């Protein structure tokens, strides 16, 4: 049972269609490069928030000097991001890095070709290769895959491991043998260890193992080998990072599964990102067609119209109808094509595994970034079903394929603005050009960062002994409990070398400008600190992309020294804070399914008392005498829920609703909204 045997099984699986492998692979990589460099360099929020920082953590132990430096994402397995960090640290140009990342990402297209050739119902080598090419073309119509080509995200690289695992298991379905089962289990276990979302694909792939054509006793042995091999690979690859997490937090998967391990450093309620999860069965059933809509917040934060799942569903329905038509003898129907010697079992097995994978994905996230391997499987399935629907004449299924690809291309081209988060022209300069003032580069300090974007990437550009804490962001940290003790210990260790970090060109005193001194001091008050407005420096980051915080590709960050003693004029008022907490508690009780996990820390930010809800991206707050709620990710709100005094007397009747998509969450009062 070796990988050599597994490789031989794969060669038998593709058969004569493998003769076309070299030109197809070359064309896939060239197409990926053309698309990547045509769209521009993409520098996402995640890259600045945690991708580069995670790669740094993989190669440098940061546990002693950082704490939630990139929020909860700081503790994801960092190894998938190590190659990107290594390329950036080596000083390669953005063009060189883009080429290397894109070539590596094009492997998903190679594997899509192999999957389609493996399940092709056509016996002729040319036909099987042609269906593989159709599958590749359909895979390239996935806007989310195009977003990830040439980027630092680990979704595509780990999806390739999962796809390779599925392909090996498919080889066992075609020619029963333990070697490809074990090899596939290892790859899927590795993919799951590197990115936990791949564990669902590993679970769904178990259907392929259960459909290997051997007696049930042997099938159970195959399933045991799959479970043990995948579990061993997961444990081996996850162990180095998980051991460190267990030593520090008592939870080897921190921050996940904390309801089981109960680390005092994080909430114990379940974490479940509801952003794209259907809110009802009807939404779930409609999702393949909803994804045709070229609007944001359907299955991705950007505009990502994708008609391939609707196509696959229609093809499957048409095939079912034709099968019933033939079985009942109601009339003539297109003659079925001559099939490969292995029959349709591999195609049926792949379809069954994909159906389970789709349902698990919708139930857990519905986010297409976590379904890239399933997306490529869908392309292979759609291509393979075409000859079964149209009949054995090549002209028919080729016409159907050409029409499907042409319509998909037009649909995507008309909405191409969603293919990059922040397109920046490629050049021969470094991926990021970070200009650090000499006084910040001279000595390490502890940086307390403010904002949902932690800007933790700066850890790679500041003195190595510097520490980072993102204390107010997606997961705010307070002065109490284990988190407060850890932050206080870092403050004592680095004092007096303490600084705050926030996005902006300068620190303003005017409340109408962001960032401003009252807001910063109000946030720092929880740790008994205040900003020294006379000791501020500006860090400039060029090539960072035109987003809300970076005009013309230039991001400015302000860092000011910190002084002991909170600024009482800018800190929270104890009586107002108690009233706000009572109101927010009542709001959470009125909308328990929306405002979770709870209760989060109540922050004082910009003269308002607010809470952030990780599972739904919602912010609830009390300010200027009103209770409000908003979703900054989807752009819903702010919704005004009535005066503060009314909530203090008795909670008004509130109607809460949620639906996946653009208007993700709304909290409405009966009758007209008050603004």
């Amino acid at each position: 049972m070796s990988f050599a045997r597994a490789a031989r099984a794969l060669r038998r699986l593709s058969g004569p269609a493998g003769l076309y492998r070299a030109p197809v692979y070359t064309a896939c990589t060239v197409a990926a490069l053309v698309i990547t460099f045509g769209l521009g360099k993409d520098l996402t929020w995640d890259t600045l928030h945690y991708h580069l920082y995670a790669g740094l953590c993989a190669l440098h132990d940061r546990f002693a000097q950082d704490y939630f430096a990139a929020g909860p994402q700081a503790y994801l397995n960092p190894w998938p991001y190590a190659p990107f960090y290594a390329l950036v640290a080596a000083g390669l140009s953005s063009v060189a890095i883009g080429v290397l990342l894109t070539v590596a990402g094009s492997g998903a297209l190679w594997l899509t070709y192999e999957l389609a050739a493996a399940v092709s119902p056509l016996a002729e080598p040319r036909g099987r290769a042609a269906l593989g090419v159709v599958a590749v073309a359909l895979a390239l119509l996935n806007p989310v895959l195009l977003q990830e080509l040439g980027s630092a995200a680990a979704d595509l690289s780990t999806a390739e491991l999962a796809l390779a695992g599925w392909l090996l298991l498919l080889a066992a379905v075609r020619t029963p043998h333990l070697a490809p089962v074990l090899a596939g289990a290892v790859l899927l276990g590795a993919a799951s260890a590197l990115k936990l979302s791949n564990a669902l694909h590993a679970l769904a792939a178990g259907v392929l193992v259960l459909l290997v054509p051997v007696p049930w006793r042997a099938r159970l042995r195959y399933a045991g080998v799959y479970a043990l091999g995948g579990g061993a690979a997961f444990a081996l690859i996850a162990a180095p990072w998980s051991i460190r997490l267990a030593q520090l937090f008592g939870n080897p998967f921190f921050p996940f599964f904390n309801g089981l391990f109960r680390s005092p450093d994080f909430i114990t309620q379940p974490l479940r990102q509801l952003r794209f999860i259907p809110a009802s069965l009807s939404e779930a059933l409609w999702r393949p067609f909803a994804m045709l809509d070229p609007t944001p917040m359907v299955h991705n934060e950007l505009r990502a119209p994708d008609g391939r799942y609707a196509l696959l569903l229609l093809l499957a329905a048409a095939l079912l109808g034709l099968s019933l038509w033939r079985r009942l003898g109601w009339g003539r129907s297109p003659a079925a094509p001559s099939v490969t010697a292995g029959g349709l079992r591999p195609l049926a097995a792949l379809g069954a595994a994909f159906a389970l994978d789709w349902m698990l994905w919708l139930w857990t996230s519905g986010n297409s970034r976590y379904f890239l391997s399933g997306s490529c499987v869908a392309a292979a399935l759609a291509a393979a079903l075409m000859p079964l629907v149209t009949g054995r004449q090549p002209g028919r299924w080729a016409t159907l394929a050409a029409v499907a690809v042409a319509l998909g291309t037009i649909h995507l081209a008309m909405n191409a603005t969603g293919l990059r988060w922040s397109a920046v022209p490629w050049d021969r300069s470094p991926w990021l050009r970070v200009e650090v003032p000499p006084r910040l580069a001279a000595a390490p300090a502890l940086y307390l960062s403010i904002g949902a974007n932690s800007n933790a990437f700066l850890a790679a550009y500041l003195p190595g002994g510097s520490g980072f804490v993102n204390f107010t962001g997606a997961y705010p940290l307070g002065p109490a409990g284990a988190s407060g003790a850890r932050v206080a210990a870092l403050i004592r260790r680095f004092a007096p070398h303490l600084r705050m970090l926030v996005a902006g060109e300068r620190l303003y005193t005017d409340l109408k400008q962001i960032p401003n001194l009252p807001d910063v001091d109000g946030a720092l008050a929880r740790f008994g600190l205040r900003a020294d407005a006379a000791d501020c420096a500006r860090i400039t980051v060029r090539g960072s992309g035109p987003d809300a915080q970076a005009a013309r590709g230039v991001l400015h960050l302000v860092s000011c020294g910190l002084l002991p003693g909170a600024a009482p004029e800018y800190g929270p008022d104890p009586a107002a804070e108690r009233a706000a907490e009572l109101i927010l508690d009542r709001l959470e009780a009125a909308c328990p399914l929306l405002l979770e996990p709870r209760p989060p820390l109540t922050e004082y930010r910009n003269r308002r008392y607010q809470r952030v809800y990780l599972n739904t991206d919602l912010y609830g707050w009390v300010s200027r005498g009103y209770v409000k709620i908003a979703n900054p990710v989807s752009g819903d709100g702010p919704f005004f829920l009535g005066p503060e005094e009314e909530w203090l007397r008795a909670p008004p009747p509130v109607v809460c609703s949620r639906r996946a998509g653009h208007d993700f969450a709304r909290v409405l009062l009966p009758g007209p909204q008050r603004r």
Side-chain angles (χ1 to χ4, degrees):
M1 293 188 292
S2 65
F3 278 90
R5 288 184 179 180
R8 287 196 295 271
L10 282 178
R11 286 195 295 271
R12 289 195 298 270
L13 185 63
S14 58
L19 296 173
Y20 303 93
R21 185 174 288 123
V24 169
Y25 283 13
T26 302
C28 287
T29 301
V30 170
L33 288 169
V34 170
I35 291 170
T36 298
F37 286 92
L39 294 175
K41 182 179 76 173
D42 193 17
L43 199 116
T44 67
W45 179 91
D46 286 344
T47 301
L48 295 177
H49 179 60
Y50 78 96
H51 287 167
L52 191 60
Y53 173 79
L56 172 70
C57 291
L59 302 178
H60 302 277
D61 191 336
R62 305 280 306 185
F63 284 105
Q65 63 204 77
D66 295 343
Y67 187 67
F68 280 87
Q73 291 97 329
Y75 300 108
L76 302 180
N77 192 322
W79 285 104
Y81 307 98
F84 172 69
Y85 168 75
L87 293 173
V88 172
L92 296 182
S93 69
S94 61
V95 170
I97 294 174
V99 167
L100 293 173
L101 293 177
T102 303
V103 170
S106 67
L109 303 176
W110 305 354
L111 292 164
T112 302
Y113 170 81
E114 297 292 348
L115 276 172
V119 298
S120 168
L122 302 177
E124 304 82 8
R126 287 186 180 180
R128 296 174 69 185
L131 282 181
V133 172
V134 171
V136 168
L138 291 173
L140 282 171
L141 294 178
N142 178 6
V144 180
L145 186 147
L146 300 184
Q147 287 174 15
E148 300 237 345
L149 280 174
S151 77
D155 305 299
L156 185 56
S157 58
T158 58
E160 290 175 327
L161 291 175
L163 270 175
W166 279 53
L167 185 60
L168 284 161
L169 297 179
L170 201 59
V173 174
R174 183 69 178 274
T175 306
H177 204 288
L178 276 176
V181 172
L182 178 58
V186 169
L187 289 176
L188 283 159
S192 303
L194 294 172
K195 195 168 183 65
L196 282 176
S197 57
N198 289 313
L200 298 174
H201 309 311
L203 180 61
V207 172
L208 295 172
V209 180
L210 294 177
L211 293 178
V212 173
V214 292
W216 272 105
R217 184 169 296 179
R219 199 172 298 178
L220 291 175
R221 186 170 67 251
Y222 277 44
V225 169
Y226 177 72
L228 291 174
F234 178 91
L236 183 64
I237 294 176
W241 187 251
S242 292
I243 289 172
R244 296 291 286 124
L245 293 179
Q247 290 172 340
L248 187 65
F249 300 115
N251 179 352
F253 301 104
F254 188 85
F256 300 109
F257 309 115
N258 206 41
L260 173 64
F261 295 99
R262 309 192 74 81
S263 168
D265 292 83
F266 200 66
I267 55 175
T268 55
Q269 295 93 331
L271 281 180
R272 192 180 183 212
Q273 179 57 259
L274 298 175
R275 191 176 296 175
F276 303 112
I277 296 177
S280 63
L281 178 61
S282 60
E283 275 193 21
L285 295 175
W286 183 247
R287 178 57 61 87
F289 301 98
M291 294 171 74
L292 286 161
D293 191 359
T295 58
M297 300 303 297
V298 177
H299 60 109
N300 186 261
E301 292 84 357
L302 301 180
R303 297 168 62 186
D306 191 343
R308 297 168 311 117
Y309 301 106
L311 172 65
L312 176 59
L313 186 60
L314 292 174
L315 287 171
L319 182 60
L320 178 61
L322 287 173
S323 299
L324 291 174
W325 188 273
R326 295 187 187 107
R327 185 178 296 274
L328 296 175
W330 287 345
R332 298 182 62 185
S333 60
S338 57
V339 299
T340 59
L344 298 178
R345 189 181 188 94
L347 178 58
L350 189 65
F354 172 80
L356 177 59
D357 201 23
W358 172 271
M359 289 186 287
L360 290 173
W361 167 68
L362 272 187
W363 177 61
T364 55
S365 76
N367 189 331
S368 284
R369 290 201 306 274
Y370 308 145
F371 200 63
L372 289 177
S373 59
S375 168
C376 293
V377 171
L381 286 171
L385 288 179
M386 289 180 182
L388 296 177
V389 172
T390 60
R392 66 165 55 102
Q393 295 183 10
R396 292 182 177 178
W397 66 258
T399 300
L400 175 60
V403 170
V405 171
L407 290 176
T409 303
I410 294 171
H411 189 213
L412 189 60
M414 291 175 64
N415 301 280
T417 55
L419 297 182
R420 281 291 185 260
W421 288 80
S422 53
V424 178
W426 294 96
D427 55 34
R428 297 189 180 277
S429 62
W431 193 270
L432 286 176
R433 288 167 287 163
V434 181
E435 301 169 8
V436 178
R439 56 175 161 157
L440 300 188
L446 177 65
Y447 289 83
L448 301 178
S449 66
I450 299 173
N453 188 347
S454 65
N455 293 304
F457 73 96
L458 283 178
Y461 297 92
L462 290 168
S466 297
F468 282 79
V469 178
N470 181 221
F471 77 100
T472 174
Y475 183 70
L477 306 174
S483 293
R486 290 187 189 271
V487 175
L490 285 173
I491 290 174
R492 288 193 301 270
R493 173 186 164 188
F494 279 90
H497 305 291
L498 305 172
R499 306 193 68 85
M500 69 79 175
L501 182 70
V502 66
E505 292 193 41
R506 51 170 295 194
L507 185 63
Y508 298 93
T509 55
D510 183 359
L511 282 169
K512 296 180 181 180
Q513 302 286 338
I514 296 178
N516 59 72
L517 183 61
D519 181 28
V520 169
D521 278 356
L524 290 167
R526 73 186 73 163
F527 295 115
L529 298 171
R530 69 182 189 276
D532 183 359
D535 179 19
C536 292
R538 186 168 66 192
I539 300 172
T540 302
V541 184
R542 303 187 186 279
S544 59
D547 58 25
Q549 293 180 331
R552 297 180 298 278
V554 179
L555 173 66
H556 296 292
L557 299 162
V558 177
S559 176
C560 300
L562 300 180
L563 299 172
E569 67 272 27
Y570 299 139
D573 175 75
E577 187 172 28
R578 286 193 298 270
E581 288 186 339
L582 175 61
I583 291 171
L584 294 173
D585 286 344
R586 289 177 171 179
L587 181 59
E588 289 168 5
C591 301
L593 297 181
L594 288 184
L595 307 179
E596 58 178 21
R598 60 191 177 101
L601 176 74
T602 301
E603 290 190 281
Y604 184 66
R605 293 291 313 277
N606 206 12
R607 295 188 302 169
R608 75 185 196 185
Y609 299 92
Q610 68 177 34
R611 290 180 180 177
V612 184
Y613 301 92
L614 280 174
N615 286 3
T616 55
D617 305 309
L618 288 168
Y619 281 65
W621 71 92
V622 179
S623 70
R624 299 180 182 178
Y626 279 88
V627 181
K628 307 165 192 176
I629 197 167
N631 187 330
V633 176
S634 66
D636 296 330
F639 297 103
F640 287 65
L641 303 180
E644 181 180 348
E645 303 83 39
E646 185 176 347
W647 279 87
L648 285 173
R649 287 195 303 269
V654 177
V655 177
C656 304
S657 63
R658 180 181 79 83
R659 68 181 180 88
H662 180 64
D663 296 320
F664 167 75
R666 291 178 292 177
V667 179
L668 307 175
L669 284 172
Q673 287 223 26
R674 283 178 271 188
R675 293 191 178 271

